[in-house]
């Protein structure tokens, strides 16, 4: 038989490049990295290019930006294209290696505006990042946006630490919640939903993912 | 600042297209679907294009092949490109929708030669597939190949079923184990490893993923 598809890909929305033009290529601390992620997450839903989720991959020490990602599930037509997967793939494309923790490389940090969903949790583990910094964890995200994080382990953080990924929690948490609330209050959002039955974000969270 | 990378992608190795030339486009039952997945998984490590892992997305009822995937982490340079992610992305590219369970679509089945790793577990959940068929679960895969599945929940199957994904276990299990053993006994395999320290597959499984 002949396969219909043998290749696929995804790209950042054009507005991301414009947004980055005004950003310092060195983000010295966790707060400055998270501030960029919050800007991208908010603009992603305002621009209509995806859900209110963004990520950045930086040198953990210097804060040099290696890549950024936003959720492009709708734009790419691919359900795996969450912000973390996009940022990690772009960082690996930029460095030319599937292993961001490779020998001789400085430790790399993934900054995300909430705890990764079940898929992105595993994607983070396989990427080679040395630090995961999140604005927060908890069910505010599901209550405010309707997005499901999927079945996570209660010891998700210990499991990452045991595999050499340092986890930093609660960096600019309130700003993350503000963006989720703003998104949740919108009546006009296109909700991507693994069930595909045009459900509203708040009433049907199953199989969506952040 | 200017981003180094704004797009990324992956494709199937050329040999997969050749392999599919001899395959019936309709695979009527779970065994025939798994037989194809086993062929692709074995050839993927023999060809040196990746680990011994493959997946297929079919119409759950008719068995019409929608896409196939093999692990292309090494070939793509992207740590997320496990067989399931590749097969699901290609199925979504082929159908033009991020939701394989969308309204008016027949239920879709993902067939894999072992229980998905922590990342692919979430990717399966968000894809909209209605059925997940695996050759087996259990730690043979880690013992024989050295690949880590990542932290999974003991109730992984119930969590999928609760979200509308039917799980079918132990289809041609012995053949899967044979391929893992064959791979594990090779002295010449290139092992992709999130630690990137050129470790052997058996001695260091951390952060690899299937």
């Amino acid at each position: 038989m002949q396969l219909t598809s043998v290749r696929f890909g995804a790209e950042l929305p054009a507005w991301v490049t414009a947004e980055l033009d005004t950003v310092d290529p060195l983000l010295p601390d966790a707060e400055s990295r998270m501030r960029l992620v919050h800007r991208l997450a908010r603009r992603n839903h305002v621009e209509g290019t995806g859900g209110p989720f963004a990520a950045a991959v930086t040198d953990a020490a210097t804060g040099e930006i290696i890549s950024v990602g936003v959720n492009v599930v709708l734009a790419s037509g691919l359900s795996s294209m969450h912000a973390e997967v996009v940022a990690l793939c772009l960082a690996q494309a930029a460095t030319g290696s599937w292993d961001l923790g490779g020998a001789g490389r400085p430790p790399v940090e993934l900054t995300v505006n909430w705890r990764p969903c079940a898929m992105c949790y595993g994607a983070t583990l396989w990427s080679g990042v040395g630090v995961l910094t999140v604005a927060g964890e908890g069910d505010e995200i599901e209550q405010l946006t309707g997005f499901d994080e999927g079945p996570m382990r209660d010891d998700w953080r210990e499991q990452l630490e045991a595999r050499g990924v340092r986890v930093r929690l609660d960096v600019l948490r309130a700003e993350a919640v503000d963006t989720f609330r703003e998104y949740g209050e919108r009546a006009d959002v296109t909700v991507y939903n693994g069930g595909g039955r045009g459900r509203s974000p708040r009433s049907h969270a199953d199989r969506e993912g952040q």
Side-chain angles (χ1 to χ4, degrees), chain A residues 12 16 20 23-25 27 33 36-37 40 54-59 63-70 83-95 100 108-112 127 129:
Chain A
L12 293 174
V16 175
L20 268 286
V23 171
D24 189 319
L27 302 174
R33 296 164 202 179
L36 170 61
V37 167
L40 296 175
V57 175
T58 61
D59 180 303
E64 182 190 355
I65 298 172
I66 300 166
S67 70
V68 300
V70 293
E84 297 93 320
V85 169
V86 171
L88 292 169
C89 286
L90 289 174
Q92 292 169 337
T95 58
L100 297 172
V108 160
E109 178 171 7
L110 174 66
T111 301
V112 194
S127 69
V129 299

Side-chain angles (χ1 to χ4, degrees), chain A residues 104-184:
Chain A
R105 297 176 184 278
V108 160
E109 178 171 7
L110 174 66
T111 301
V112 194
N113 64 319
W114 208 251
R115 181 187 72 176
C117 77
M119 172 184 70
C120 296
Y121 175 59
T124 300
L125 208 48
W126 309 146
S127 69
V129 299
V131 184
L132 171 65
T133 300
V134 300
E137 65 170 329
D139 60 7
E140 289 94 331
I141 190 172
E142 301 185 354
Q143 290 171 356
L144 293 172
T145 69
F147 284 98
D148 182 8
E149 293 200 310
M152 292 290 289
R153 290 171 60 116
D154 293 338
D155 65 346
W156 68 274
R157 180 178 181 171
E158 291 68 24
Q159 291 287 339
L160 284 178
E161 301 263 5
R163 287 169 166 84
V165 181
R166 190 159 63 85
V167 178
R168 193 153 41 172
L169 278 176
D170 297 334
V171 175
L172 303 182
R173 190 182 201 281
E175 292 83 341
V177 172
D178 288 346
T179 297
F180 297 151
R181 180 176 296 107
E182 179 186 69
Y183 177 83

